[in-house]
Amino acid sequence: MTSSSDRSPAVDVRSSKTYEIRTYGCQMNVHDSERLAGLLEDAGYVRAPRGSEGDADVVVFNTCAVRENADNKLYGNLGHLAPKKASRPGMQIAVGGCLAQKDRDTIVKRAPWVDVVFGTHNIGKLPVLLERARVQEEAQVEIAESLEAFPSTLPTRRESAYAAWVSISVGCNNTCTFCIVPALRGKEKDRRPGDILAEIEALVADGVSEITLLGQNVNAYGSDIGDREAFSKLLRACGGIDGLERVRFTSPHPRDFTDDVIAAMAETPNVMPQLHMPLQSGSDPILKAMRRSYRQERFLGIIDKVRAAIPHAAISTDIIVGFPGETEEDFEQTLHVVREARFAQAFTFQYSKRPGTPAAEMDRQIPKKVVQERYERLVALQEEISWEENKKQIGRTVELMVAEGEGRKDDTTHRLSGRAPDNRLVHFTKPDDEVRPGDVVTVEITYAAPHHLLAEGAVLDVRRTRAGDAWERRTAEKAAQPAGVMLGLPKVGVPEPLPAAAGGCGFD
């Protein structure tokens, strides 16, 4: 919700100016970009039409600092925009996000045509900084060292009518040696439970039926407010919200994954049987070098407890291959955990140096050829397991929430796509009855591939929902608006949840 006392006043720039936001990295950045869009629309900007990349009056880069060669990619993209900006008086370019927080002093030096640089803690200042840069005709660099206002107090241009991110905390208290996020997003800061539940209730009233609780280390929620069971209590409270059909969360940390959370997941009907649990490595020595506060036995113990309480849970993970010092024996321990845990899906990363992290300075960096070979073996094993686990779904009857834009071949195959409760992607035969994103269909799974399922028979049931109504209203409003006029879109929430994506910035 918008709180005028927590952010800068809106700057009215008239609705003729357009904006484009390019987002890189994790769900945090996706969520922040929706806040940035809401701020710009509050200030009178209009979203540029799709496909008009680089032609907007304001182009915002929301950057990530943990991806390989993130800075080179940013400066390459900025270089492509330089001639456009030179030929278009009044065009502005802004750079925000983690890379801006990290490289605050170098962005304008390397790309002097950039108008605004802002950090992860002061995204609410973007409209004011753009206006100041325009009036003063010089670049504005403003990087706050601590959070000025919790992002959820800012206006939002939500991408989905039926599903939303809800941020419950920002920052991270961990010190993983491969991750620079705590230095860029700060120590963990939790929202008050009442504020979180109020936002969820507002979203549900607006038609949202699925929410994903979001945090850098989501199940550490409560450490900032002095309640070790705050996260499990929050999950149970979500179960009492009428009209909220699906609750997910990302990403937890094994260190903080306690029995009360498992019980809350199992006993709260609208908390989905899906868990993204980052492993990173199966080797105890490597986990120690990573400063991960659990070991293989602890990790597998969590998986066993979750499966005992929620037998059909789909569990996904993150794994880094080739961390400094990783031996063949260490890597074999990772393969062992993958075989034991039988993940439905794994997001695998080849280790590469991240400037500013302790791991980048460690001895015994692994040759690229060795990392690549191990990576290929891991991917092959996980593909085999994913396929075997998906084959177990054949013959099951499941309820799908119909998704928008998740089936790239739906038009040619005459199918629609949706997400099962365990977040598996299912493509299904288009029924005779009208089905809208946000509606729920019941289907029988007939075929399995490693990364998706098919329901090739007739749809067994179609349930029209308030979420589908919300999608239909928004679509009608958008179609009725003439070009260049702002839409009356909701100002809270976020887009449909991604597939169980790499947690946090991919390395939680």
Side-chain angles (χ1 to χ4, degrees), residues 7 51 82 264 270 310 403:
R7 61 186 176 87
N270 62 356
I310 314 168

Side-chain angles (χ1 to χ4, degrees), residues 17-34:
K17 286 196 173 184
T18 59
Y19 75 89
E20 172 196 343
I21 299 175
R22 302 187 188 183
T23 308
Y24 305 93
C26 65
Q27 299 102 319
M28 299 291 184
N29 277 13
V30 173
H31 195 28
D32 284 349
S33 287
E34 291 198 323

Side-chain angles (χ1 to χ4, degrees), residues 147-150 167-173 185-192 221 223-225:
L147 193 67
E148 293 186 344
F150 203 95
S167 184
I168 70 170
S169 64
V170 294
C172 181
N173 293 336
R185 289 191 175 266
K187 293 292 186 181
E188 180 178 326
K189 185 173 181 59
D190 295 335
R191 290 179 72 188
R192 292 175 55 192
Y221 176 74
S223 63
D224 182 46
I225 56 179

